[in-house]
Amino acid sequence: MRKVFVETKNVKRLVAAINALIKRHIGIERLMLLFGNPRMGKTETIIWLINHFFTDAVYVRCIKIMSARWLLEELVSSLGLDPAWRAKDLFDQARDALIGTDRLVCFDEIDYLTHDSKVIETIRDLNDLTNAPFVFIGMHQADRKLKKYPHLWGRFAQVIHFEPPDRGDVGDILTQICEVKIDESVVDAVCETQSLTLSLIYRWGQKIEAIARSRGLDKVSADDLFNNNQSRKKNVSKTNKSGIKLSA
Amino acid sequence: MSQKPTKAVSSFLLNRKTFSLNDLVTATGIDRRKLLRVLEKFRNEGFLQIVSEEKVRPAWGENGPFRKNPCYQRIKDISTRQGRQRPFCGRDRIWRTIRYLRKFKRSDLVRLTGDKERTVYVYTRQLVIHGYLKDLGRSGKEKVFFLINDPGPKRPIIEGE
């Protein structure tokens, strides 16, 4: 399998939204919410973006029992500073490091913190005082949970929902990651999978390659995926005739 | 060997909020022209602002015009100032991705960082040997690793690197 990151429609929408967030004029809120079902590639997309476009960005992974001080400490150490002891000093450190900059700050699993208004308000204060672009990443009900804070919800300049992959995305991903050719019927078959996620598509890719390797196929169709015995007999003869060998 | 002016001024500023150039010269013992240059650099970076500017008569036995003695105020925490850093390299990127993911396969690192497979292979193997990563077993054909020792955002410098 090819180890490539595939730019799906969700990724393109997210890139456009973050660019809009970065280019906003000072004085306009720079908050963004990204949410969606689990296994849709939200975290991986953000990490890929940080690695390729926003090298000075900061990523903080929230934890359910996090307090405001703990969050600030994590943020300050992610900013590359030595965290101070007092909460006020921590806040000052974070504010001084972020003020007037375009450093992207990402808070993953933000819905863990929505039960504690102190933490959420601290993040909002920090965003108010620094005007740095903040991205909240949450699970599928993050928007509903954050609507409890109307003054915060009103500040979101961009709200992106990661949709489940459609047929075009599935086709793009499979053709880019598989080293064998894929028939359109395979894409249709994969799309019929219930609650399709990105990780499931990658597993399908592995299966397709395994079948192609074991049977010596250069193009895989839906029949090869599901009709094991019949196709095996057919393909053994095909392999003997053509003598194709696939490298894994 | 005497302390470098930038370091001396940084450590002086940790404890003082308002000070004059003369105070700084007395505290550090460094040439006032060098100190003035550092103070101007900090002022341009937004850490200091001038409160008042005075001129001081040259000391007994010295010649020349009246000396500058500006009074500064610290307006931003000097500990947030980042000095010259080495350029961000592939290993830094891999380390950062490892910290974000915690549990990962080598293919995840190649996909997300865009680095070569060989680079990822060599670096992860070194991290396992030095006790930063643990090999959890295999998922399919690939090894799964887990970050067990996290010294912070700056990547650990491994012996012989």
Side-chain angles (χ1 to χ4, degrees):
Chain A
M1 253 174 59
R2 291 190 201 104
K3 288 155 189 154
V4 289
F5 183 86
V6 183
E7 291 180 38
T8 57
K9 282 166 195 157
N10 283 332
V11 177
K12 284 171 189 164
R13 279 195 304 135
L14 180 65
V15 170
I18 289 186
N19 280 336
L21 197 73
I22 298 281
K23 282 177 190 166
R24 264 171 193 273
H25 297 294
I26 289 174
I28 299 171
E29 286 81 14
R30 297 166 106 188
L31 268 176
M32 189 181 124
L33 173 65
L34 165 67
F35 70 105
N37 288 333
R39 299 264 159 199
M40 286 295 162
K42 301 181 290 293
T43 305
E44 286 209 345
T45 308
I46 283 289
I47 294 173
W48 178 79
L49 271 175
I50 290 175
N51 278 334
H52 288 82
F53 301 108
F54 305 101
T55 44
D56 62 344
V58 183
Y59 172 91
V60 179
R61 206 269 192 203
C62 302
I63 294 166
K64 185 77 182 169
I65 55 168
M66 231 174 198
S67 62
R69 194 194 166 279
W70 184 357
L71 181 83
L72 285 173
E73 198 178 337
E74 286 286 321
L75 177 62
V76 167
S77 64
S78 302
L79 285 164
L81 306 171
D82 294 329
W85 181 252
R86 290 164 60 206
K88 180 193 172 295
D89 295 339
L90 281 170
F91 189 85
D92 287 347
Q93 276 184 312
R95 189 196 58 203
D96 289 347
L98 289 173
I99 197 160
T101 63
D102 277 342
R103 281 183 92 167
L104 195 69
V105 184
C106 307
F107 295 98
D108 200 359
E109 314 288 2
I110 194 72
D111 28 9
Y112 284 163
L113 306 180
T114 47
H115 68 280
D116 190 352
S117 60
K118 248 187 192 176
V119 187
I120 291 287
E121 301 291 347
T122 308
I123 299 175
R124 189 183 73 92
D125 287 339
L126 202 57
N127 181 256
D128 264 2
L129 295 173
T130 60
N131 204 39
F134 280 26
V135 179
F136 289 2
I137 307 159
M139 282 183 274
H140 58 292
Q141 286 186 335
D143 58 335
R144 218 186 62 187
K145 289 176 184 170
L146 285 168
K147 273 180 188 169
K148 280 195 297 186
Y149 305 97
H151 47 287
L152 177 73
W153 182 252
R155 284 163 196 263
F156 282 113
Q158 304 276 346
V159 178
I160 301 283
H161 181 232
F162 256 41
E163 308 282 351
D166 60 5
R167 197 186 176 284
D169 285 336
V170 174
D172 281 349
I173 294 170
L174 287 177
T175 47
Q176 285 188 46
I177 63 169
C178 290
E179 289 180 40
V180 287
K181 285 179 187 167
I182 291 165
D183 195 59
E184 287 292 310
S185 59
V186 173
V187 179
D188 292 329
V190 172
C191 285
E192 282 171 19
T193 315
Q194 275 188 342
S195 56
L196 190 63
T197 58
L198 280 188
S199 55
L200 263 180
I201 299 174
Y202 277 90
R203 277 192 214 168
W204 273 112
Q206 282 179 340
K207 191 177 179 186
I208 290 165
E209 287 214 333
I211 288 171
R213 209 179 306 126
S214 64
R215 297 179 198 169
L217 301 172
D218 61 345
K219 190 171 186 179
V220 179
S221 66
D223 291 341
D224 300 318
L225 285 179
F226 300 110
N227 303 333
N228 289 335
N229 297 329
Q230 289 173 0
S231 56
R232 193 170 290 160
K233 280 175 195 168
K234 266 189 228 168
N235 290 320
V236 166
S237 58
K238 267 187 204 171
T239 317
N240 291 341
K241 276 180 193 171
S242 58
I244 296 166
K245 283 180 185 174
L246 290 169
S247 56
Chain B
M1 195 182 155
S2 63
Q3 216 178 358
K4 285 191 172 180
T6 309
K7 270 194 175 178
V9 176
S10 300
S11 53
F12 176 82
L13 284 175
L14 290 175
N15 305 319
R16 296 290 290 267
K17 191 151 190 190
T18 313
F19 62 95
S20 67
L21 179 59
N22 273 352
D23 299 339
L24 188 60
V25 173
T26 322
T28 58
I30 300 172
D31 180 34
R32 61 188 297 130
R33 276 176 303 178
K34 287 182 182 172
L35 291 175
L36 193 62
R37 213 174 294 152
V38 175
L39 290 172
E40 281 304 301
K41 182 171 72 179
F42 284 179
R43 192 168 72 91
N44 291 335
E45 288 175 6
F47 292 98
L48 299 175
Q49 71 177 18
I50 292 179
V51 183
S52 63
E53 273 189 281
E54 292 171 13
K55 298 246 175 174
V56 183
R57 183 186 288 275
W60 181 252
E62 283 182 358
N63 296 318
F66 279 38
R67 308 280 187 254
K68 278 184 183 176
N69 185 27
C71 192
Y72 291 92
Q73 188 182 18
R74 177 163 54 84
I75 50 171
K76 198 172 158 186
D77 186 8
I78 198 75
S79 64
T80 59
R81 183 177 183 271
Q82 293 190 335
R84 199 181 295 161
Q85 289 179 331
R86 63 182 166 74
F88 202 74
C89 68
R91 285 192 170 195
D92 291 316
R93 206 164 32 233
I94 296 171
W95 175 251
R96 185 164 67 177
T97 312
I98 289 172
R99 283 192 74 238
Y100 294 168
L101 293 175
R102 300 266 159 183
K103 191 175 160 190
F104 61 92
K105 290 183 275 186
R106 280 183 177 131
S107 63
D108 296 333
L109 296 183
V110 174
R111 202 173 66 240
L112 296 175
T113 59
D115 286 317
K116 287 179 186 169
E117 275 185 60
R118 184 73 193 158
T119 316
V120 171
Y121 177 83
V122 171
Y123 189 49
T124 47
R125 201 181 58 175
Q126 283 186 340
L127 289 174
V128 171
I129 291 168
H130 288 87
Y132 294 102
L133 297 181
K134 194 182 177 188
D135 180 358
L136 291 181
R138 282 176 186 273
S139 161
K141 278 190 164 185
E142 278 194 282
K143 279 185 179 175
V144 180
F145 297 95
F146 193 76
L147 180 66
I148 51 169
N149 182 6
D150 182 6
K154 280 189 182 172
R155 82 179 154 86
I157 301 297
I158 291 165
E159 284 174 36
E161 206 178 313

